[in-house]
């Protein structure tokens, strides 16, 4: 396995913006410092929101910014059977259940960490009504399965002070969605599956995903996948150190390019010159 292999894994639900460019600079710089490589992965499993033109724009924008990556690129929508197999395995092992409750209904439950499956007759009735549902990972069942290991679940994080070990707390996510009635996989399964498949050793991404390792570590344990080292970068700030507004942040890189901005100016603007 490579000593340092990371990935940039955007979702083509819209055009890339400055926040994505910032993340890409962090990812490619971390790999350059370590003498490693960056894979590009297209996370397009949400077929209702992803569009081919956004995928093409990802390639165009990243090339314009000067990044390179090995081919072929893994495009997740071409690999649904891989993710479905993972979901089936969790179901077969009794670690997942069908949940017809909405997010609001779940939040209103007394003990949201263990919302539990529906009773068999209730589930049958809801299925009969053709109601939408999600497959959720049962943390309670996962905990029973891995036993004492649950208490020592941990992951490594690269910080400015060096690599530190953090206790993983999967419960901060509750019973995550692993698939839906009309969708064979959700983000956590697809991302962790592909990180393992692609031999990703380091994951560099924004602080918006700082809690993801808590649940990813559990999935890696259940599937016996290796655990990468995580690194989180600060999100985009404006010149005054304030978080960029959604509006400023969501200006497509393609529009900035069309307005005559150069890749070097983007690099400078993001502090990577
Ligand atoms: N596809 C995710 C996004 O665009 C990134 C996930 C990841 O880096 O694990 O937010």
């Amino acid at each position: 396995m490579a000593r340092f292999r990371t990935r940039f894994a955007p979702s083509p639900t819209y055009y890339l913006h400055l926040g994505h460019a910032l993340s890409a600079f962090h990812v490619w710089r971390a790999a350059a410092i370590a003498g490693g490589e960056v894979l590009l992965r297209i996370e397009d499993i949400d077929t209702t929101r992803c569009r081919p033109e956004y995928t093409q724009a990802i390639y165009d924008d990243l090339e314009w910014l000067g990044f390179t990556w090995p081919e072929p690129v893994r495009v997740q929508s071409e690999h649904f059977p891989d993710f479905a197999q993972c979901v089936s395995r969790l179901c077969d092992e009794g670690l997942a259940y069908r949940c017809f409750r909405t997010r609001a209904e779940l939040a209103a439950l007394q003990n949201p960490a263990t919302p539990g499956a529906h009773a068999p007759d209730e589930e049958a009735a809801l299925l009969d009504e053709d109601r939408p549902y999600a497959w959720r990972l049962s943390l309670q069942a996962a905990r029973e399965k891995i036993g004492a290991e649950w208490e020592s679940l941990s992951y490594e994080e690269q910080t400015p002070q060096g690599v530190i070990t953090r206790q993983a707390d999967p419960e901060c996510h509750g019973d995550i969605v692993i698939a839906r009635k009309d969708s064979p996989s959700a983000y956590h399964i697809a991302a962790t599956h592909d990180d393992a498949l692609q031999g990703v050793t380091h994951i560099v991404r924004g602080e918006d995903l700082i809690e993801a390792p808590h649940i990813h570590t559990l999935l890696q344990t259940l599937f016996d996948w290796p655990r990468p080292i995580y690194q989180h970068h600060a999100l985009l700030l404006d010149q005054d150190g304030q978080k960029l507004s959604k509006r400023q942040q969501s200006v497509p890189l393609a529009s900035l390019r069309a307005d005559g901005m150069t890749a070097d100016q983007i690099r400078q603007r993001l502090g990577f010159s």
Side-chain angles (χ1 to χ4, degrees), residues 7-11 20 41 43 187 191 195 203-205 208-209 216:
R7 78 314 190 265
F8 183 60
S11 298
H20 292 108
R41 186 165 79 218
E43 297 205 328
Y187 161 70
D195 287 334
I203 294 181
V204 180
R205 58 189 169 198
D208 50 336
L209 284 169
H216 290 186

Side-chain angles (χ1 to χ4, degrees), residues 50-269:
C50 293
R51 293 216 220 132
E53 59 267 39
Y54 298 147
T55 300
Q56 185 54 49
I58 289 173
Y59 299 136
D60 296 345
D61 291 341
L62 293 178
E63 263 176 40
W64 174 62
L65 291 172
F67 299 118
T68 57
W69 54 87
E71 298 283 349
V73 168
R74 184 160 170 96
V75 177
Q76 287 190 325
S77 59
E78 295 168 4
H79 301 282
F80 280 123
D82 290 5
F83 311 135
Q85 213 171 15
C86 297
V87 170
S88 298
R89 186 168 139 191
L90 294 175
C91 294
D92 292 348
E93 290 183 9
L95 301 178
Y97 61 92
R98 264 195 205 95
C99 178
F100 293 83
R101 299 183 215 279
T102 63
R103 226 182 271 187
E105 284 167 349
L106 280 177
L109 289 179
Q110 295 277 311
N111 184 356
T114 53
H118 300 261
D121 50 344
E122 187 191 5
E123 180 177 352
L126 292 163
L127 273 176
D128 257 5
E129 287 171 26
D130 208 21
R131 292 263 213 103
Y133 61 82
W135 283 104
R136 287 185 180 272
L137 176 71
S138 164
L139 288 183
Q140 206 174 32
R143 187 180 192 133
E144 278 160 25
K145 179 168 165 84
I146 67 173
E149 217 187 317
W150 182 275
E151 302 303 334
S152 57
L153 276 184
S154 65
Y155 61 90
E156 288 189 308
E157 184 170 341
Q158 176 75 52
T159 71
Q161 289 75 42
V163 175
I164 59 168
T165 301
R166 289 201 190 276
Q167 174 84 29
D169 171 24
E171 263 150 21
C172 74
H173 288 268
D175 286 357
I176 54 157
V177 171
I178 55 171
R180 293 184 189 279
K181 181 178 176 222
D182 302 315
S183 171
S185 174
Y187 161 70
H188 295 297
I189 290 285
T192 48
H193 172 276
D194 280 358
D195 287 334
L197 179 82
Q198 297 187 288
V200 169
T201 60
H202 292 73
I203 294 181
V204 180
R205 58 189 169 198
E207 281 174 347
D208 50 336
L209 284 169
I210 204 157
E211 293 196 333
H214 290 291
I215 193 69
H216 290 186
T217 303
L218 175 61
L219 292 173
Q220 286 147 5
T221 303
L222 292 172
F223 285 104
D224 206 13
W225 289 330
R227 295 180 196 175
I229 298 176
Y230 297 92
Q231 188 176 329
H232 300 99
H233 64 78
L235 300 180
L236 197 55
L237 301 177
D238 68 12
Q239 268 95 348
D240 306 320
Q242 302 294 315
K243 230 183 119 183
L244 270 198
S245 73
K246 264 237 155 66
R247 193 177 54 77
Q248 282 171 303
Q249 208 182 123
S250 58
V251 175
L253 292 174
S255 307
L256 299 175
R257 180 160 78 240
D259 288 348
M261 205 158 179
T262 65
D264 270 349
Q265 285 170 324
I266 303 268
R267 187 182 280 273
Q268 270 171 24
R269 162 75 182 77

